[in-house]
């Protein structure tokens, strides 16, 4: 009995890298299917973010006041500078990936190796930068207090610039112990202790007449947060529930906890994609070095991983636009 192979009307089979529908091999078609499904996932996440951003448009944290750090420039106010640098590095890594794919088409192993290495380095720098950004976001910049209704109150000086709690809070040197499950009821625990207690912050505020507070609410005219006159400030501070330092999934010194939730989830999900892409690129890189694709006679695998890398870069452009610029 002779084996038969099913072919389409053009007489070509969809296997083994032969001519295929849309001029793409099976592997590239599957990569496009994965990219399409993943794009729908990211669209859902960004759509949900946009909905919440619009719902709380009058009190959403201002990105220029949150992402102000730059490595090795402690105390320098550099809004969005490092995020822009991260974006440039990731986009540049997409350029080097294009050059690697082009070199693969020309069967130039040395150039493929070089440009793949640059792509991997760019991805690692981006991941390190994202980890550094997370560290600063979690650790916090200035500190704030949370009211009984959950709203966040920040402190500003006479010129309207936000100031750190450390600059005015009066330390009483009292010993406080973090509540953990082994020190209380099994279901009771709290996050790490803030640097000051509520009483210390209020005492420092009373002792510094040049300090006032500002609310989450954004002034529609100035596009800045509303500063409360000092005469009215104690009305809010008397409702203080806790001192907040940094951001986590429950509380956020910059304002709405939803902002931190979306930040961790969306940038973390994208960071996982970049990490996966770096690992895959490293595997392909070593395959290039040992001549795997030279023996196959083509560098299609480099092209397929390039499609994934370009997708990851494109998604970051949307994340950057939605989360940092809008």
């Amino acid at each position: 009995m002779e084996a038969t192979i099913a072919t389409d009307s053009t007489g070509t089979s969809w296997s083994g890298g032969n001519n295929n529908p849309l001029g793409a091999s099976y592997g590239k078609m599957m990569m496009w299917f994965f990219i399409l499904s993943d794009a729908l996932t990211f669209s859902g996440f960004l759509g949900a973010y946009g909905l919440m951003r619009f719902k709380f448009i009058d009190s959403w944290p201002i990105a220029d006041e949150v992402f102000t750090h730059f490595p090795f420039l402690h105390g320098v106010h550099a809004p969005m500078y490092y995020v822009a640098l991260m974006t440039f590095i990731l986009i540049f890594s997409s350029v080097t990936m294009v050059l690697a794919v082009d070199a693969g088409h020309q069967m130039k192993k040395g150039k493929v190796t070089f440009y793949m290495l640059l792509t991997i380095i760019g991805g690692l720098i981006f991941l390190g930068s994202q980890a550094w950004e997370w560290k600063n976001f979690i650790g916090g910049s200035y500190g704030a207090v949370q009211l009984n209704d959950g709203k966040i109150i920040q402190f500003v000086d006479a010129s309207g610039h936000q100031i750190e709690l450390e600059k005015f809070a009066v330390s009483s040197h009292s010993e406080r112990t973090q509540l953990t499950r082994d020190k209380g009821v099994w279901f009771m625990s709290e996050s790490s202790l803030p640097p000051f207690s509520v009483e210390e912050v209020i005492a420092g505020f009373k002792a510094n007449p040049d300090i006032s507070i500002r609310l989450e609410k954004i002034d529609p005219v100035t596009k800045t947060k509303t500063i409360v006159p000092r005469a009215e400030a104690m009305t809010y501070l008397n409702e203080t529930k806790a001192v907040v330092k940094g951001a986590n999934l429950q509380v956020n010194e910059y304002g709405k906890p939803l902002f931190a939730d979306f930040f961790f989830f969306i940038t973390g999900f994208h960071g996982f994609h970049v990490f996966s892409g770096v690992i895959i690129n490293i595997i392909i890189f070593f395959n290039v070095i040992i001549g795997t694709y030279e023996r196959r006679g083509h560098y299609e695998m480099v092209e397929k991983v390039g499609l994934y890398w370009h997708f990851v870069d494109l998604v970051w452009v949307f994340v950057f636009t939605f989360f940092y610029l809008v």
Side-chain angles (χ1 to χ4, degrees):
M1 180 181 295
E2 295 183 358
T4 60
I5 300 176
T7 60
D8 60 17
S9 59
T10 62
T12 58
S13 61
W14 198 17
S15 62
N18 299 322
N19 294 329
N20 296 299
L22 304 179
S25 67
Y26 179 82
K28 280 200 283 188
M29 286 296 292
M30 292 303 103
M31 178 59 76
W32 276 113
F33 285 147
F34 169 76
I35 288 174
L36 179 61
S37 63
D38 217 22
L40 294 174
T41 303
F42 273 106
S43 297
F45 294 157
L46 292 175
Y49 172 81
L51 178 63
M52 293 298 102
R53 173 75 172 81
F54 180 77
K55 181 178 180 180
F56 301 106
I57 193 171
D58 62 340
S59 59
W60 201 252
I62 301 172
D64 283 353
E65 297 180 352
V66 178
F67 307 104
T68 61
H69 301 86
F70 202 95
F72 311 113
L73 296 178
H74 181 70
V76 176
H77 186 75
M80 306 295 291
Y81 289 5
Y82 195 57
V83 180
L85 178 61
M86 290 168 52
T87 303
F88 172 79
I89 291 172
L90 193 62
I91 291 176
F92 184 77
S93 73
S94 197
V95 174
T96 57
M97 178 58 80
V98 169
L99 295 174
V101 172
D102 181 66
H105 289 160
Q106 301 176 43
M107 298 299 293
K108 295 181 178 179
K109 176 182 173 182
K111 286 189 174 182
V112 175
T113 304
F114 175 70
Y115 289 126
M116 286 288 292
L117 179 61
L118 290 182
T119 303
I120 292 169
I121 292 174
L124 290 174
I125 293 175
F126 179 84
L127 286 174
S129 300
Q130 198 168 53
W132 182 85
E133 187 183 46
W134 271 44
K135 171 182 173 294
N136 285 286
F137 187 72
I138 293 172
S141 303
Y142 299 96
V145 296
Q146 184 183 35
L147 304 184
N148 291 325
D149 60 2
K151 290 185 174 63
I152 294 295
I153 298 296
Q154 299 170 335
F155 296 88
V156 295
D157 58 21
S159 62
H161 295 104
Q162 190 175 358
I163 60 174
E164 299 91 338
L165 297 180
E166 289 79 2
K167 289 188 176 180
F168 68 90
V170 178
S171 177
S172 60
H173 303 290
S174 61
E175 293 187 3
R176 293 175 290 147
T177 303
Q178 180 182 352
L179 177 60
T180 56
R181 292 182 178 182
D182 61 336
K183 298 175 183 176
V185 183
W186 68 272
F187 57 84
M188 295 178 62
S189 63
E190 62 181 348
S191 58
S192 57
L193 290 173
F196 302 100
S197 67
V198 173
E199 292 75 16
E200 291 170 340
V201 171
I202 293 179
F205 178 82
K206 292 179 178 178
N208 291 269
D210 294 333
I211 297 176
S212 190
I213 64 172
R214 70 178 185 182
L215 311 177
E216 292 181 8
K217 187 175 179 59
I218 298 175
D219 189 302
V221 178
T222 63
K223 303 300 181 182
T224 58
K225 294 184 178 179
T226 304
I227 297 178
V228 177
R230 180 168 176 94
E232 304 174 17
M234 284 308 302
T235 304
Y236 291 92
L237 292 179
N238 288 333
E239 299 295 322
T240 300
K241 173 184 178 182
V243 176
V244 179
K245 184 69 173 177
N248 52 52
L249 296 178
Q250 280 95 28
V251 69
N252 172 19
E253 77 163 56
Y254 307 102
K256 293 288 182 187
L258 271 175
F259 178 85
D261 297 342
F262 277 112
F263 174 81
F264 289 126
F265 192 78
I266 294 178
T267 62
F269 191 60
H270 177 267
F272 173 75
H273 279 70
V274 176
F275 175 76
S276 301
V278 169
I279 296 300
I280 297 172
N281 277 334
I282 290 174
I283 295 172
I284 302 302
F285 172 73
F286 281 109
N287 280 338
V288 171
I289 290 177
I290 63 178
T292 300
Y293 308 121
E294 285 283 320
R295 291 190 294 272
R296 291 182 184 178
H298 60 81
Y299 282 84
E300 184 180 301
M301 189 60 72
V302 176
E303 188 173 355
K304 284 188 284 190
V305 75
L307 289 173
Y308 177 79
W309 194 254
H310 297 324
F311 167 72
V312 168
D313 288 2
L314 180 62
V315 167
W316 178 253
V317 171
F318 283 97
V319 172
F320 177 73
T321 302
F322 272 69
F323 218 100
Y324 297 93
L325 297 183
V326 177

